[in-house]
Amino acid sequence: MRRWTLLAVFCGVAGTAVAHDPEKLEEIVVEGRWDQPLGLAVSASEGVVGQAEIDVRPRLRTGDLLEAVPGLVVTQHSGSGKSNQLFLRGFNLDHGTDFATWIDGMPINQPTHGHGQGYTDLNFIIPELVEKLEFRKGPYYADVSDFSSAGAAFFSVMSSLDSAMIKTGIGENDFGRILVADSFEAAGGTLLAGLQSQVYNGPWSNVSENLEAYTTHVRYSREVDDTAWSVLFMGYDADWDSADQVPLRAVQSGLVDELGTIDDTVGGTTDRYSLSARWHRDVGDRSLTVRGYAIDYSLELFSNFTYFLDDPVNGDQFEQVDDRNTYGGDVTWRRRASDDLVHTVGVSFRYDDIDEVGLFRTQRRERFDTVRLDTVAELTAGVFYDLDYRFNDRWRGSFGLRADTFDFDVSRSNVAANTGTATDTILSPKLNLIATVSDSLEAYISAGRGFHSNDARGTVITIDPASGDPAERVDPTVPSTGAEIGLRWFDGDRFNVSAALWYLELDSELLFVGDAGNTEASGASRRYGLEIPVYLRINDTWLIDVEIALTESEFTDAPSGEREIPGSLDRVIAAGISGEFENGMYGSVRVRHFGERPLIESGEVKSSTSTVINAALGYKRESFDVRLELLNLADSNDDDITYFYESRLPGEPADGIADVHFHPIEPRMVRAYLTWYPGF
């Protein structure tokens, strides 16, 4: 572990938000989809997934946790150790640019990151220690701002376990995992500790992933009368080799097979260590919550997407680095003025002390040229006010306003002209109206403004570090405006369905391109769609869910015939059936399908559709749990992700060849787990 500083004084939300507290006009604690959402939710696009549902879903990767969010797709285009690709509401979110993710009050998104704005790596999470996952889609919530135009997710971790847990897993392609976790009473509170180790080589034909990952999770919590507090330490360290996407022509010519890779020396290493604390007190009709965190993080990532296009001698491999300390926190005050009126005020701050963020040209992981190397300080502060008011027995509303200010300082750069400072402040109004139609049916109207911040380096840039040409600066923030109407029908614990018709405009899809060290503008955009998740409990044994998301996406200021947004999904369909029997047997089968995607603005080149089926079968008693997971059960050879761009293989023309580049779904594999609960 490298040196890092402990935050001593807490005040405000990490970066720009506080994790949503579902307490509104009624004191109701939501733990899963089957807990009564009526009278609590403020939009049709929010929900909670509990540990029971998280556990029953088979997973290839930790990032698959987010697929519990209806309509959200998680894929990967390279090694298992890096952040996943995310898709939601017509966005190719890359690694999280317009989807905010939090864990116990700490932000996971990384601004001004070496591999992309809003970089979100979930690999440090231990899934078995997640208590619940709350999700909210759209920019309608006053307590969340940056990176949340498409939505946000909040992970809450457990404070105690029913029993000690020793879980081991083995599988094909040299997969191995062991988790040891327990909780016990200590010093008047509860101490929970978990240690995890994982290895994996992958199915690739000419490279082994050699993934080695180690995770630590320690939480102490205590509650005395009206006051509760906790401290959480999380540690993660991983290194791996990658199998990146490959050009279609290389497979068709026999240069590599579908599971091959062109450059077998790419990969990476990363670590993340954090300490966070939470203090909460209820006094009469008032409550106060204070949280803070400190995070030490680093990444070294080697990639090669174009092979010999830019440098026919040394090749196009490059290294992206990120080394930072992040400090932040939030204070939230809530007052119930009456049975019908609740005031909530929050303040927040986040400070990213980025010692080194850079891009280097490399050959076999050896640096030979610096494209860009910067030192950046980024300060974000936010304040919000939210008013919840019940007009009568039928109507209630949530009215919010937040303000966020950004201060960027690129204090050092290998290109001196690219240093400087920038500031910006953005206001985001929010509105939600809810009508109680009946005891089982609610209707919602939601609207709001959101945004994502841009990479600090793009706000002060004057010279393209790769070409040396003049470069245009970008605005520090890019606003979005969204609205939706929706319904939610909840019939006891048997039937739960919601429907949302939504609309979202983004002023500009400006993104910092870490691969090139500069910023590209891709114009204003418009998206709209329909989402319908349905959950049906047939009886005490069987549960069925079907989630449908249909989306239309386009650039609004592009010429006719050039308005397709590359990577935007037009449909996502996910469905599952799970069963739990009195004799201890349980199982689940899940299918996920997403439609074709335009790969260029004209839409003339599209990806194929993709469908994958996963299954799990287990037997559980009080003292043990035996489980078998079948991943990609039908052995689909569809693609996890597809791009279209120019690359050059040895012997090809100097200008390269425009081609489809793809990363396949990993072939069918079997994994077996044994969990022992020695406390019983």
Side-chain angles (χ1 to χ4, degrees):
M1 184 193 309
R2 297 176 296 113
R3 101 180 142 72
W4 55 296
T5 306
L6 173 64
L7 183 68
V9 180
F10 309 137
C11 146
V13 231
T16 51
V18 298
H20 179 56
D21 185 340
E23 181 187 9
K24 288 290 183 182
L25 296 179
E26 301 178 28
E27 294 183 0
I28 301 174
V29 178
V30 174
E31 298 296 343
R33 298 195 205 267
W34 293 102
D35 292 89
Q36 174 62 274
L38 302 183
L40 175 66
V42 298
S43 83
S45 297
E46 63 175 284
V48 180
V49 183
Q51 170 60 219
E53 184 176 346
I54 291 171
D55 181 66
V56 78
R57 290 174 172 244
R59 290 185 303 273
L60 174 63
R61 302 167 281 243
T62 303
D64 291 349
L65 288 167
L66 282 178
E67 289 203 343
V69 178
L72 196 152
V73 172
V74 177
T75 68
Q76 183 59 278
H77 73 88
S78 58
S80 300
K82 68 174 291 190
S83 170
N84 298 109
Q85 300 284 131
L86 306 177
F87 297 84
L88 179 68
R89 287 196 164 182
F91 282 91
N92 177 350
L93 296 163
D94 193 33
H95 300 289
T97 303
D98 285 289
F99 190 81
T101 311
W102 296 73
I103 184 164
D104 259 33
M106 288 185 290
I108 302 177
N109 301 70
Q110 302 277 14
T112 311
H113 188 273
H115 189 63
Q117 182 70 345
Y119 186 80
T120 303
D121 184 357
L122 303 179
N123 286 302
F124 69 94
I125 297 174
I126 299 178
E128 290 81 358
L129 300 185
V130 172
E131 182 178 46
K132 61 184 176 182
L133 166 63
E134 180 189 358
F135 63 86
R136 289 179 284 155
K137 291 180 282 185
Y140 321 128
Y141 316 95
D143 56 349
V144 189
S145 59
D146 200 7
F147 304 124
S148 64
S149 293
F154 306 89
F155 291 95
S156 298
V157 300
M158 294 180 176
S159 56
S160 65
L161 298 173
D162 293 334
S163 169
M165 172 192 302
I166 301 175
K167 183 173 185 177
T168 58
I170 59 173
E172 294 180 89
N173 306 313
D174 301 315
F175 171 81
R177 179 172 180 247
I178 183 167
L179 167 64
V180 179
D182 195 7
S183 64
F184 49 89
E185 299 303 309
T190 303
L191 181 67
L192 183 151
L195 297 173
Q196 175 184 271
S197 175
Q198 181 171 315
V199 296
Y200 184 53
N201 280 334
W204 320 111
S205 58
N206 64 338
V207 66
S208 175
E209 288 199 29
N210 296 314
L211 172 69
E212 294 184 5
Y214 305 94
T215 309
T216 305
H217 178 118
V218 180
R219 183 179 190 181
Y220 179 79
S221 56
R222 184 175 181 181
E223 185 171 350
V224 179
D225 298 328
D226 299 337
T227 304
W229 60 274
S230 63
V231 179
L232 173 64
F233 170 79
M234 306 183 79
Y236 174 70
D237 191 281
D239 60 80
W240 68 95
D241 299 323
S242 295
D244 277 340
Q245 65 260 21
V246 296
L248 180 61
R249 65 186 186 279
V251 176
Q252 293 174 335
S253 69
L255 179 63
V256 296
D257 61 29
E258 289 186 348
L259 297 176
T261 191
I262 302 298
D263 187 341
D264 61 4
T265 66
V266 297
T269 180
T270 188
D271 61 67
R272 181 190 187 278
Y273 298 95
S274 66
L275 187 67
S276 61
R278 179 183 185 273
W279 180 91
H280 176 85
R281 186 173 187 182
D282 291 307
V283 180
D285 59 4
R286 295 170 174 82
S287 68
L288 180 66
T289 303
V290 183
R291 295 182 300 195
Y293 60 85
I295 306 170
D296 178 66
Y297 169 87
S298 71
L299 171 73
E300 292 179 84
L301 184 64
F302 297 87
S303 307
N304 189 346
F305 303 136
T306 54
Y307 318 119
F308 293 93
L309 179 65
D310 298 326
D311 189 335
V313 176
N314 299 301
D316 296 350
Q317 187 184 99
F318 58 91
E319 176 190 8
Q320 296 163 313
V321 300
D322 195 286
D323 188 356
R324 72 178 67 202
N325 289 309
T326 302
Y327 313 100
D330 64 79
V331 175
T332 305
W333 177 83
R334 177 176 284 107
R335 183 192 173 201
R336 184 183 299 276
S338 68
D339 291 341
D340 298 324
L341 179 63
V342 177
H343 303 278
T344 305
V345 178
V347 296
S348 65
F349 84 94
R350 170 175 177 166
Y351 179 70
D352 285 86
D353 182 9
I354 308 171
D355 183 62
E356 189 176 79
V357 56
L359 176 66
F360 304 89
R361 293 190 176 99
T362 57
Q363 184 180 44
R364 302 189 67 84
R365 300 200 185 190
E366 295 293 330
R367 296 178 184 175
F368 65 85
D369 185 35
T370 300
V371 178
R372 181 154 201 183
L373 182 61
D374 300 273
T375 297
V376 181
E378 183 166 337
L379 175 65
T380 306
V383 58
F384 77 89
Y385 170 72
D386 186 71
L387 182 148
D388 293 310
Y389 185 66
R390 188 183 300 277
F391 300 97
N392 50 47
D393 291 342
R394 184 171 295 273
W395 286 94
R396 58 190 174 91
S398 174
F399 312 93
L401 178 67
R402 73 170 295 126
D404 295 279
T405 184
F406 292 81
D407 187 275
F408 301 146
D409 182 4
V410 182
S411 60
R412 186 176 62 189
S413 176
N414 64 312
V415 180
N418 286 338
T419 60
T421 61
T423 60
D424 193 20
T425 298
I426 186 168
L427 294 176
S428 304
K430 318 285 184 175
L431 169 67
N432 297 275
L433 292 175
I434 305 98
T436 301
V437 181
S438 69
D439 291 342
S440 59
L441 180 65
E442 281 190 342
Y444 308 86
I445 301 175
S446 302
R449 191 187 200 204
F451 70 93
H452 71 243
S453 62
N454 270 318
D455 191 296
R457 294 169 290 178
T459 67
V460 300
I461 193 172
T462 59
I463 296 175
D464 186 315
S467 66
D469 297 330
E472 185 176 350
R473 295 181 175 182
V474 300
D475 294 329
T477 58
V478 177
S480 60
T481 303
E484 72 175 51
I485 57 175
L487 294 170
R488 188 189 303 270
W489 180 21
F490 191 94
D491 185 12
D493 62 353
R494 296 297 182 186
F495 191 67
N496 182 354
V497 59
S498 60
L501 183 63
W502 60 271
Y503 180 90
L504 184 67
E505 289 186 349
L506 200 64
D507 280 10
S508 174
E509 303 214 1
L510 293 172
L511 296 174
F512 185 86
V513 182
D515 306 349
N518 59 17
T519 302
E520 287 185 356
S522 51
S525 62
R526 173 173 56 218
R527 294 172 171 86
Y528 57 91
L530 175 67
E531 294 174 338
I532 306 176
V534 180
Y535 307 96
L536 173 64
R537 192 185 299 277
I538 299 175
N539 50 42
D540 291 340
T541 299
W542 294 102
L543 175 65
I544 295 175
D545 66 270
V546 179
E547 300 165 348
I548 301 172
L550 306 175
T551 304
E552 290 289 335
S553 309
E554 66 175 356
F555 289 119
T556 55
D557 56 2
S560 178
E562 299 289 332
R563 293 190 173 183
E564 298 281 359
I565 302 177
S568 59
L569 291 178
D570 63 350
R571 70 180 180 273
V572 176
I573 301 173
I577 181 170
S578 61
E580 186 172 355
F581 302 88
E582 291 183 357
N583 64 0
M585 295 292 294
Y586 68 91
S588 67
V589 178
R590 298 204 59 80
V591 58
R592 182 205 69 192
H593 166 86
F594 57 87
E596 63 182 19
R597 306 170 305 288
L599 301 181
I600 58 177
E601 286 81 356
S602 67
E604 295 176 352
V605 182
K606 295 181 180 293
S607 73
S608 59
T609 61
S610 179
T611 304
V612 63
I613 302 172
N614 296 324
L617 179 65
Y619 178 69
K620 185 174 184 179
R621 307 305 293 173
E622 283 190 335
S623 60
F624 69 89
D625 184 343
V626 180
R627 176 177 177 135
L628 191 69
E629 292 192 355
L630 301 172
L631 303 172
N632 192 5
L633 177 63
D635 203 23
S636 166
N637 62 353
D638 293 340
D639 300 337
D640 235 356
I641 198 163
T642 314
Y643 304 97
F644 186 83
Y645 57 85
E646 292 180 346
S647 63
R648 180 177 181 268
L649 299 171
E652 291 184 338
D655 292 340
I657 296 176
D659 196 6
V660 169
H661 296 70
F662 69 96
H663 189 72
I665 294 174
E666 297 189 27
R668 180 173 52 232
M669 69 182 78
V670 180
R671 293 178 180 177
Y673 295 91
L674 172 62
T675 306
W676 177 41
Y677 303 99
F680 285 101

